[in-house]
PDB file of all heavy atoms in Angstrom:
ATOM      1  N   PHE F  83      96.522  82.996  17.907  1.00 98.00           N
ATOM      2  CA  PHE F  83      95.561  81.913  17.696  1.00 98.00           C
ATOM      3  C   PHE F  83      94.150  82.504  17.736  1.00 98.00           C
ATOM      4  O   PHE F  83      93.549  82.610  18.807  1.00 98.00           O
ATOM      5  CB  PHE F  83      95.721  80.829  18.779  1.00 98.00           C
ATOM      6  CG  PHE F  83      97.106  80.247  18.842  1.00 98.00           C
ATOM      7  CD1 PHE F  83      98.014  80.677  19.795  1.00 98.00           C
ATOM      8  CD2 PHE F  83      97.505  79.286  17.922  1.00 98.00           C
ATOM      9  CE1 PHE F  83      99.295  80.149  19.843  1.00 98.00           C
ATOM     10  CE2 PHE F  83      98.783  78.756  17.968  1.00 98.00           C
ATOM     11  CZ  PHE F  83      99.689  79.189  18.922  1.00 98.00           C
ATOM     12  N   PRO F  84      93.611  82.901  16.582  1.00 97.00           N
ATOM     13  CA  PRO F  84      92.307  83.573  16.548  1.00 97.00           C
ATOM     14  C   PRO F  84      91.172  82.773  17.181  1.00 97.00           C
ATOM     15  O   PRO F  84      90.190  83.346  17.643  1.00 97.00           O
ATOM     16  CB  PRO F  84      92.060  83.788  15.051  1.00 97.00           C
ATOM     17  CG  PRO F  84      93.420  83.756  14.429  1.00 97.00           C
ATOM     18  CD  PRO F  84      94.230  82.813  15.267  1.00 97.00           C
ATOM     19  N   GLU F  85      91.294  81.461  17.254  1.00 97.00           N
ATOM     20  CA  GLU F  85      90.243  80.622  17.823  1.00 97.00           C
ATOM     21  C   GLU F  85      90.268  80.612  19.352  1.00 97.00           C
ATOM     22  O   GLU F  85      89.354  80.080  20.001  1.00 97.00           O
ATOM     23  CB  GLU F  85      90.366  79.186  17.295  1.00 97.00           C
ATOM     24  CG  GLU F  85      91.539  78.387  17.832  1.00 97.00           C
ATOM     25  CD  GLU F  85      92.883  78.616  17.126  1.00 97.00           C
ATOM     26  OE1 GLU F  85      93.047  79.633  16.404  1.00 97.00           O
ATOM     27  OE2 GLU F  85      93.779  77.778  17.309  1.00 97.00           O
ATOM     28  N   TYR F  86      91.281  81.206  19.958  1.00 98.00           N
ATOM     29  CA  TYR F  86      91.468  81.137  21.411  1.00 98.00           C
ATOM     30  C   TYR F  86      90.237  81.557  22.204  1.00 98.00           C
ATOM     31  O   TYR F  86      89.740  80.793  23.036  1.00 98.00           O
ATOM     32  CB  TYR F  86      92.685  81.992  21.826  1.00 98.00           C
ATOM     33  CG  TYR F  86      92.746  82.237  23.309  1.00 98.00           C
ATOM     34  CD1 TYR F  86      93.090  81.217  24.185  1.00 98.00           C
ATOM     35  CD2 TYR F  86      92.443  83.486  23.842  1.00 98.00           C
ATOM     36  CE1 TYR F  86      93.129  81.431  25.555  1.00 98.00           C
ATOM     37  CE2 TYR F  86      92.494  83.711  25.201  1.00 98.00           C
ATOM     38  CZ  TYR F  86      92.831  82.677  26.052  1.00 98.00           C
ATOM     39  OH  TYR F  86      92.866  82.896  27.405  1.00 98.00           O
ATOM     40  N   GLU F  87      89.744  82.761  22.002  1.00 96.00           N
ATOM     41  CA  GLU F  87      88.641  83.250  22.834  1.00 96.00           C
ATOM     42  C   GLU F  87      87.386  82.400  22.671  1.00 96.00           C
ATOM     43  O   GLU F  87      86.686  82.124  23.654  1.00 96.00           O
ATOM     44  CB  GLU F  87      88.357  84.730  22.562  1.00 96.00           C
ATOM     45  CG  GLU F  87      89.464  85.611  23.114  1.00 96.00           C
ATOM     46  CD  GLU F  87      89.064  87.067  23.259  1.00 96.00           C
ATOM     47  OE1 GLU F  87      87.868  87.397  23.154  1.00 96.00           O
ATOM     48  OE2 GLU F  87      89.974  87.875  23.516  1.00 96.00           O
ATOM     49  N   ARG F  88      87.112  81.952  21.470  1.00 95.00           N
ATOM     50  CA  ARG F  88      85.939  81.104  21.237  1.00 95.00           C
ATOM     51  C   ARG F  88      86.081  79.773  21.970  1.00 95.00           C
ATOM     52  O   ARG F  88      85.139  79.289  22.598  1.00 95.00           O
ATOM     53  CB  ARG F  88      85.765  80.870  19.744  1.00 95.00           C
ATOM     54  CG  ARG F  88      84.627  79.949  19.367  1.00 95.00           C
ATOM     55  CD  ARG F  88      84.429  79.804  17.857  1.00 95.00           C
ATOM     56  NE  ARG F  88      85.599  79.996  17.017  1.00 95.00           N
ATOM     57  CZ  ARG F  88      86.501  79.049  16.748  1.00 95.00           C
ATOM     58  NH1 ARG F  88      86.380  77.838  17.253  1.00 95.00           N
ATOM     59  NH2 ARG F  88      87.534  79.307  15.971  1.00 95.00           N
ATOM     60  N   GLU F  89      87.264  79.186  21.939  1.00 96.00           N
ATOM     61  CA  GLU F  89      87.481  77.873  22.548  1.00 96.00           C
ATOM     62  C   GLU F  89      87.658  77.927  24.068  1.00 96.00           C
ATOM     63  O   GLU F  89      87.361  76.954  24.749  1.00 96.00           O
ATOM     64  CB  GLU F  89      88.696  77.202  21.908  1.00 96.00           C
ATOM     65  CG  GLU F  89      88.440  76.783  20.475  1.00 96.00           C
ATOM     66  CD  GLU F  89      89.568  75.968  19.892  1.00 96.00           C
ATOM     67  OE1 GLU F  89      90.367  75.387  20.655  1.00 96.00           O
ATOM     68  OE2 GLU F  89      89.648  75.911  18.665  1.00 96.00           O
ATOM     69  N   ILE F  90      88.154  79.043  24.598  1.00 96.00           N
ATOM     70  CA  ILE F  90      88.491  79.090  26.017  1.00 96.00           C
ATOM     71  C   ILE F  90      87.305  79.472  26.905  1.00 96.00           C
ATOM     72  O   ILE F  90      87.313  79.179  28.089  1.00 96.00           O
ATOM     73  CB  ILE F  90      89.693  80.054  26.248  1.00 96.00           C
ATOM     74  CG1 ILE F  90      90.475  79.639  27.495  1.00 96.00           C
ATOM     75  CG2 ILE F  90      89.247  81.498  26.369  1.00 96.00           C
ATOM     76  CD1 ILE F  90      91.178  78.340  27.400  1.00 96.00           C
ATOM     77  N   ARG F  91      86.294  80.112  26.337  1.00 87.00           N
ATOM     78  CA  ARG F  91      85.145  80.522  27.164  1.00 87.00           C
ATOM     79  C   ARG F  91      84.487  79.308  27.797  1.00 87.00           C
ATOM     80  O   ARG F  91      84.294  78.288  27.171  1.00 87.00           O
ATOM     81  CB  ARG F  91      84.112  81.269  26.316  1.00 87.00           C
ATOM     82  CG  ARG F  91      84.501  82.687  26.060  1.00 87.00           C
ATOM     83  CD  ARG F  91      83.340  83.482  25.474  1.00 87.00           C
ATOM     84  NE  ARG F  91      83.790  84.805  25.127  1.00 87.00           N
ATOM     85  CZ  ARG F  91      84.140  85.183  23.899  1.00 87.00           C
ATOM     86  NH1 ARG F  91      84.057  84.325  22.899  1.00 87.00           N
ATOM     87  NH2 ARG F  91      84.547  86.393  23.665  1.00 87.00           N
TER      88      ARG F  91
END
Side-chain angles (χ1 to χ4, degrees):
F83 303 99
E85 72 277 17
Y86 166 72
E87 289 198 12
R88 177 176 27 84
E89 290 187 21
I90 207 67
R91 281 192 185 98

